[in-house]
Amino acid sequence: NAGVMQNPRHLVRRRGQEARLRCSPMKGHSHVYWYRQLPEEGLKFMVYLQKENIIDESGMPKERFSAEFPKEGPSILRIQQVVRGDSAAYFCASSPGTGFDVGYTFGSGTRLTVV
Amino acid sequence: LAKTTQPISMDSYEGQEVNITCSHNNIATNDYITWYQQFPSQGPRFIIQGYKTKVTNEVASLFIPADRKSSTLSLPRVSLSDTAVYYCLVGDSGAGSYQLTFGKGTKLSVIP
């Protein structure tokens, strides 16, 4: 039973390019979350999705960032026109339900470097 | 959301017991306490969760006093592989509590 799969593990983009980060949740998990972690910082919530629905995107920057979780396939976090400040580790988590006491499983992250 | 405070870093020798204390003075009645572990270049991993008194699993123990304003994660006989950042989180069990709030955590360094 594979865990949360994220790819790529490392992504290098030039300023102005687009970055696409993919996340496949654990089998049986229908709730997906994206977090961003800057160096020496804790993870910050970005967005919560269920299949074909964005439930809460309150942590996502208003511009250039978007997320989706289509009926088929992985969840995608898209960053358009990347800037140096977007360099960070992006983690995806999934869960079978919501609530603080359910089991959240995190992937190994995608490290985005903008040059 | 209850704010948590924990030491920035700790050092320990191999084989020792490590106790990391987290303060959460404004914890609410419905709040649980959860600890996560994060290795370099990895996502956080759930360690243990509790509501009151003591919880123990194969990895760690969690001690929560009666007033629940703090909690202590205890790692018995640490090894070099326990070097990681440990996060204390507090949140209620309601369906709306899906945003996990991570502080900077405690960076544990285990020394040979």
Side-chain angles (χ1 to χ4, degrees), chain B residues 4-5 18 21-22 24-25 29 34 37 46 54 59 62 67 71 74-75 79-80 83 101 109-112:
Chain B
T4 61
T5 303
V18 170
T21 297
C22 177
H24 27 79
N25 289 317
T29 303
T34 306
Q37 173 191 56
F46 171 91
K54 177 183 174 182
V59 176
L62 179 59
D67 66 5
S71 59
S74 182
L75 304 172
S79 64
L80 294 176
T83 294
T101 301
S109 298
V110 179
I111 306 162

Side-chain angles (χ1 to χ4, degrees), chain A residues 9 33 35 37 40-45 48 55-56 58 91 98-109 111, chain B residues 32-34 36 38 41-44 46 49 87 89-100 102-104 107:
Chain A
R9 286 297 306 272
Y33 317 83
Y35 286 79
Q37 184 175 35
E40 306 301 319
E41 298 286 328
L43 282 73
K44 302 292 185 218
F45 169 83
Y48 161 36
I55 308 302
D56 180 355
S58 59
F91 291 97
T98 60
F100 188 74
D101 54 344
V102 304
Y104 293 91
T105 304
F106 284 82
S108 295
R111 271 139 197 88
Chain B
Y32 284 75
I33 301 149
T34 306
Y36 281 80
Q38 185 179 25
S41 301
Q42 295 289 325
F46 171 91
Q49 183 178 77
Y87 297 96
L89 283 70
V90 173
D92 73 62
S93 60
S97 294
Y98 46 77
Q99 287 192 30
L100 301 181
F102 289 84
K104 293 188 178 184
K107 189 172 185 177

Side-chain angles (χ1 to χ4, degrees), chain A residues 61-111:
Chain A
K62 295 284 186 283
E63 296 178 351
R64 303 186 297 108
F65 285 71
S66 62
E68 63 177 9
F69 189 16
K71 188 176 180 181
E72 301 291 337
S75 175
I76 306 285
L77 178 68
R78 190 168 89 160
I79 310 173
Q80 295 178 293
Q81 299 175 318
V82 295
V83 300
R84 288 234 171 96
D86 297 331
S87 295
Y90 292 83
F91 291 97
C92 170
S94 72
S95 68
T98 60
F100 188 74
D101 54 344
V102 304
Y104 293 91
T105 304
F106 284 82
S108 295
T110 293
R111 271 139 197 88

